[in-house]
Structure formats: C-alpha cells, structure tokens
Amino acid sequence: MNYVIEIMGPLLEGTGVTLQVFIITFVLAVPLGLLLALLRVSRFTVVSALVNGYIWLMRGTPLMLQMLFIYFALPFVPVIGIRLPDFTAAIVAFVLNYAAYFAEIFRAGIQSIDRGQYEGARVLGLSYTQTMRRIVLPQVFKRILPPMSNETITLVKDTSLIYVLAMNDLLRAARGIVQRDFTTTPFIVAAAFYLVMTLVLTLAFQRLERKYAVYDE
C-alpha cells in the first residue's frame, strides 16, 4: 500500500495529461463532427463528396499514423511547413480523427428521422435551419447516445497513443515506473484509473439515456 501511495503522484500527473487530451478533443470534435454531418447530408454534391472523402481518409488510416504525420511530416509539406508542439499535434490529430467518427454517428442519426417530418416542417413554413434545430437534432441527440457513449469511451483509451510523441500521459508514466522498479503494480493502478474514467462516462451516458427515454413512453 505504501508503494501505491508513493507512485500515485506521477500517475496523477499523467492522468491530468490524459484528461486534458480527452476533454479538449471531445469539446472540439463533437461540434466539428456535427458540422461535417450536416455538410455530408447537404444537397451540395461537391461539398458532400469532399466531406465523405475526408471521413473515409480519417477512418481508413490509423490515428497513430495521423499523429506521426502531423508531428513529423507536416513541417516538410510544401507551402504549409508548420511545426507543432507535441501537445498541439496530438490534439489536432485527435480532433480531426474523432470528428470523422462523430460525423458518421450524427449522419446516421439525421438520416434515421422519417422524411415525413421534413415535409411537415416545410408545410409549417420552417426553413431548413429551423427544421434541423427545432425538430431533427433534438431527436437525433436522443438516438445517437449509445454510439456516442461507445466512441467517447474509446476516446479515453485511445489517449494512451500519445506516448508515441513522448508525452507524459498516464500510460507512459506507469511504464516509466515499471521500467525503474521492475514491478507491474503501476500498470495495475493505471488500469484502475482508466476503469474509473470509463465508469464515470458510462454512468453519465446511462443517465442521459434514461432521461431521454422518458419521452418515448
């Protein structure tokens, strides 16, 4: 027990980095994903095709590869040539990647709404924007909660990938202690930290699902 208390400091610092990456990614990727979904289902064929291509690229290549490209290769791209700090590079990669996944979740939710509701809104004189904001999106939010929950929990676990940029997240902190002390206890404690974070998210989404399920009764 004393050893666990002793290693708690570095692990908590690593958890802070993990939570920063998670929170910033979630806050930025969700609205970007919604925007991409709206563009994906828009009537503008060219815009829809471009967004579809972007989603295909982000979902079809590993997140780790995207991080490595942004951090190591982006500075050598002609015209752009931007060198980002490790934390910023990780955030950019995570946001761009998860926005694509969230976009597909939002798109599926939007397209699950019966076309009759769009026609009814048009009869009432509502614009496309008003229809989306007042009628479609409130229903979409309720329907996408389960897949959003799964993707959000996956995001927590994927934050461990930032170790490739030598960032001192929870997993890297645990691995450093393991290599120093030759014991797997830090990995067990780190696993407990991840389990607690995913448990909190699971309970939060379950509560939201129960809240919105009331309107189905």
Side-chain angles (χ1 to χ4, degrees):
M1 189 63 185
N2 290 334
Y3 179 72
V4 173
I5 296 175
E6 179 185 333
I7 66 175
M8 198 62 70
L11 292 180
L12 286 174
E13 290 181 12
T15 302
V17 175
T18 294
L19 288 175
Q20 285 182 56
V21 174
F22 166 75
I23 293 172
I24 296 174
T25 299
F26 186 81
V27 169
L28 296 179
V30 169
L32 178 57
L34 176 58
L35 175 61
L36 291 172
L38 294 174
L39 294 175
R40 175 72 177 82
V41 300
S42 70
R43 300 173 182 175
F44 301 101
T45 307
V46 175
V47 174
S48 178
L50 289 173
V51 172
N52 190 40
Y54 168 80
I55 293 174
W56 168 74
L57 177 64
M58 290 294 104
R59 296 178 70 203
T61 55
L63 174 55
M64 184 182 296
L65 177 61
Q66 295 166 17
M67 272 197 298
L68 293 174
F69 178 84
I70 291 174
Y71 186 69
F72 292 107
L74 195 60
F76 301 100
V77 176
V79 181
I80 302 177
I82 299 176
R83 181 177 295 278
L84 299 175
D86 52 7
F87 186 83
T88 305
I91 293 298
V92 170
F94 268 82
V95 170
L96 294 179
N97 180 275
Y98 268 86
Y101 283 92
F102 288 142
E104 282 297 276
I105 293 175
F106 279 117
R107 179 195 60 78
I110 292 171
Q111 293 183 333
S112 71
I113 304 300
D114 186 82
R115 297 301 303 178
Q117 298 196 38
Y118 291 91
E119 296 170 0
R122 192 178 302 113
V123 170
L124 293 174
L126 297 179
S127 66
Y128 178 78
T129 302
Q130 291 173 324
T131 301
M132 281 292 178
R133 181 165 54 88
R134 298 181 181 180
I135 298 176
V136 176
L137 291 182
Q139 298 180 72
V140 167
F141 180 73
K142 177 177 64 177
R143 296 186 182 189
I144 66 172
L145 280 175
M148 282 291 288
S149 173
N150 291 336
E151 206 61 48
T152 303
I153 290 172
T154 300
L155 171 58
V156 172
K157 295 180 289 186
D158 276 353
T159 55
S160 62
L161 294 176
I162 64 176
Y163 82 90
V164 299
L165 301 184
M167 293 176 60
N168 195 35
D169 69 311
L170 174 57
L171 183 59
R172 184 179 177 84
R175 187 179 63 175
I177 299 172
V178 167
Q179 292 174 338
R180 183 193 68 191
D181 298 341
F182 300 101
T183 174
T184 58
T185 300
F187 282 153
I188 297 174
V189 177
F193 276 42
Y194 280 112
L195 287 172
V196 169
M197 288 186 282
T198 56
L199 176 62
V200 170
L201 289 172
T202 299
L203 294 176
F205 275 99
Q206 286 178 348
R207 184 172 181 178
L208 285 174
E209 288 180 38
R210 287 195 298 270
K211 175 182 177 182
Y212 283 94
V214 172
Y215 301 105
D216 292 332
E217 298 177 355

